[in-house]
Amino acid sequence: MLVLVGCAAGEMITRNYYILEYFSHSEKEDLKQAESIAATAFVLDAEIPRSYNRKQLVIRHFGPRITYSDYDLWGFDLSEGIPNLLSERLESYNIFEKTQREYWSAEPEYEIRTLIHNLELNRSASVNQARLNITFILKETGSEIELVKFSSNAERELPDNHIDTFVQSINELILNQADKFAYKILVEFNKRKAISEEKDVNQENLSAAMVEIYEKEETSSSKGLLLLPALSDTDYEPYYTITDKYNYSIDARIGEAVPLMQGVYTISYGSGDDQQRMVKESVEIMPRYKTIIEPDWGSLIIDIIDENRNFAKVRYEIFDLENGESYGSEFPAEKEVGEQEKVWMLKPGLYKITVNNEPFNTYCDFTTVKVDKGELRQLTIVMNTDDDDNPTTMAGAGILDEDNLDVTQELIKYNSAIHGNINLNSDNEEDENKQEYSLTLNGQLENYLLYNTGPIHYKLKHLMELGLSKESETDLHLAIDDFDLKNTGIYYFLENLGFYGRFDLNTHLFTNKYRSQDGFNLTKINADGDTLAASQFVKEFDTRPNFFPLTMKEGLGINYRVLNFAKANLSIRSGLGFRQEYNDDVFNLIDSGSENDVNYRIYQESESISTTGTEFSIEGNFSLPFDLSYSTNADVLIPFDKDEDYTMEWENIFNLRLFKHISLYYKIKLENKQQAVDEYFLTKHSLFLRITYFLR
């Protein structure tokens, strides 16, 4: 993986340098002079604004914003390179007796200035243009009178987005404008007639090349952009229609900038049939300018779920509440299997939504929603279900969390739930060969947050669990007390490969006690084996204080996403890992038994541990048939210190949904247990009959 990252990084910082060169094949024979102007012309260095006079290629984004490419650079100074091309062109055509870039002898009779106003790559998502805005001026040396002035603002549409294509097009544009400037000089010195005169006087002898160069404009797209902004921030916005003055129409998607030739257009947009769509006329498109239409519509997205927040496939229909017109019917999108969400584009107003094929005038299975100008509404309809989980009638509907629409736009997902469990536990924590069982009533608070946009992926998972237990040998007591927090952030520099960082924390809230009705003799020793205290006929002992042991895990490295589907995702990670386990006043049982008919127990204090090493982990979530879900999380740390033992934890969770709010939840966790005098694999089993109430 490190080799792959190194190779990728090497490609990312590769720099390309570009030059302009003289193309002799593009010379025009009609401009070559047998007898030159009896004078010397000195070509000055070009004058370039600071924004363009730099090594980086300038990229303009159809508006006031420009950027500079850090990896595509000019391999020469533009202020010198462009006048060099002009000088060589004039010298090749024999326009002047001498055309030079430096003073060789006497002061030249003429000076040529070059002003570069713009030299840039115009780029949008769908358009690439080369643009050259340049002026050439010929004047007598020492005079401010301009004898010949030629200005050109030429654009050329590029067939691809390669920088090589852009540079070659700029090269050709510079030489073409130099040809036009040379022609104007010849006209000024009566070496040639102006093109209009030449056409009138010598139409038959006017060459095709001359017409192409002097009469025909550059093939300029003169394009601008048209944007109807998206309100939903999704990829599923509807299409609209653009019509030009010749009644030629194209369709474009809301939220995507569309390149158009300079001119005036009519656009029609909105959901429904042609009569229900909105129309905006006289929309003017200007070159290199992004025309943005201010939204005079609103957007509506409809989700249909059952009371357990599962997708419900129920057809709905949208009616205008004022006149009863139907805008159409649709099924909601099952996003988990990749279906596209329907975004309705509607005029501002009140709308009635019915389900189960109910008509407009129904008094059941309906709701209303207000669509406001320039805003998105996310309407959620909740359906009742029968014993087979089939949707029946509407249970309720409304705008959920209207002030936090980024949740509905899938940038941030946050869920919170309370679970009540009847819990059967067994573990061999105190004896490797003995499983102890208990029946427990417990509750869980679960929070889940996901932020996933662009290359950034962040996930937070929090589970707090408390449980009461009644065993045959003890009174009702706190049996389960766990606080678990996991944070993982990933930056994907490739589609499935990225850097990750994580922070996990595990602790508990209340003091853990060992209780015995008959009492026992207690011996406490420290981590070095020295006796701290000895007591007789003790009935309870604090084995773990509040918040300790406190375990923290940090890691950073490479994450590879093996699977990335709606119902199956799996990632493997490897990198640098850190572990800290703080064990203040934490005691573990190391020996127990009976002596002279009196039970005894010996506890040893645990040391606090800090470990650094190489970590490997696997994380996956799978939706299986029969409403069964499975998640797995394996975590291994191999310390750099060879004297330290590796640590391994592997958690597997199966959840089988039985009814609307009731599921069977089974968790098995394996970890290598490091006791003071023993080492073995600890297995923890938890079987819950879980009742769930969603807070969010």
Side-chain angles (χ1 to χ4, degrees), residues 125-142:
S126 53
V127 175
N128 290 281
Q129 292 177 335
R131 182 191 178 196
L132 176 67
N133 188 354
I134 194 169
T135 298
F136 297 117
I137 299 174
L138 174 70
K139 64 177 185 175
E140 292 184 2
T141 302

Side-chain angles (χ1 to χ4, degrees), residues 525 588-591 604 673-680:
I525 63 177
N588 291 313
L589 179 70
I590 62 171
D591 192 16
Q604 184 172 16
K673 186 70 176 176
Q674 305 290 335
Q675 295 282 42
V677 296
D678 199 4
E679 177 182 349
Y680 61 91

Side-chain angles (χ1 to χ4, degrees), residues 276 300 317-328 346-354 359-363 365-371:
Q276 294 170 318
L300 176 65
E317 189 168 0
I318 299 179
F319 296 92
D320 189 316
L321 192 60
E322 183 177 348
N323 54 32
E325 289 184 359
S326 173
Y327 278 79
L346 302 169
K347 299 175 184 177
L350 288 173
Y351 293 87
K352 183 175 185 178
I353 291 87
T354 67
F360 169 72
N361 58 2
T362 183
Y363 278 84
D365 286 344
F366 82 94
T367 186
T368 60
V369 63
K370 183 182 180 183
V371 175

Side-chain angles (χ1 to χ4, degrees), residues 14 212 304 360 374 506 636 643:
T14 299
E212 178 184 354
I304 302 182
F360 169 72
N506 183 265
V636 178
D643 295 331

Side-chain angles (χ1 to χ4, degrees), residues 52 58-67 118 120-124 129 131 223-225 257 286-292:
Y52 295 88
V58 179
I59 302 174
R60 186 162 184 162
H61 301 271
F62 276 78
R65 182 169 68 98
I66 63 173
T67 57
N118 303 90
E120 60 198 10
L121 170 61
N122 292 344
R123 172 174 286 177
S124 72
Q129 292 177 335
R131 182 191 178 196
K223 286 186 176 180
L225 296 180
M286 304 298 295
R288 301 176 302 281
Y289 182 76
K290 183 189 293 184
T291 301
I292 302 175

Side-chain angles (χ1 to χ4, degrees), residues 31 33 36-37 90-91 93-97 182 185-186:
L31 292 178
Q33 302 299 301
S36 61
I37 300 170
L90 298 178
E91 184 74 21
Y93 288 159
N94 197 29
I95 303 294
F96 294 98
E97 200 170 80
I185 294 174
L186 295 177

Side-chain angles (χ1 to χ4, degrees), residues 40 42 87 91 97-108:
T40 300
F42 175 60
S87 176
E91 184 74 21
E97 200 170 80
K98 287 183 181 180
T99 305
Q100 59 190 44
R101 291 277 288 123
E102 297 180 357
Y103 283 118
W104 290 346
S105 55
E107 185 177 63

Side-chain angles (χ1 to χ4, degrees), residues 293-310:
I293 303 300
E294 182 180 354
D296 58 356
W297 66 90
S299 292
L300 176 65
I301 296 176
I302 297 177
D303 289 329
I304 302 182
I305 59 176
D306 60 23
E307 294 178 68
N308 204 31
R309 298 193 174 189
N310 295 311

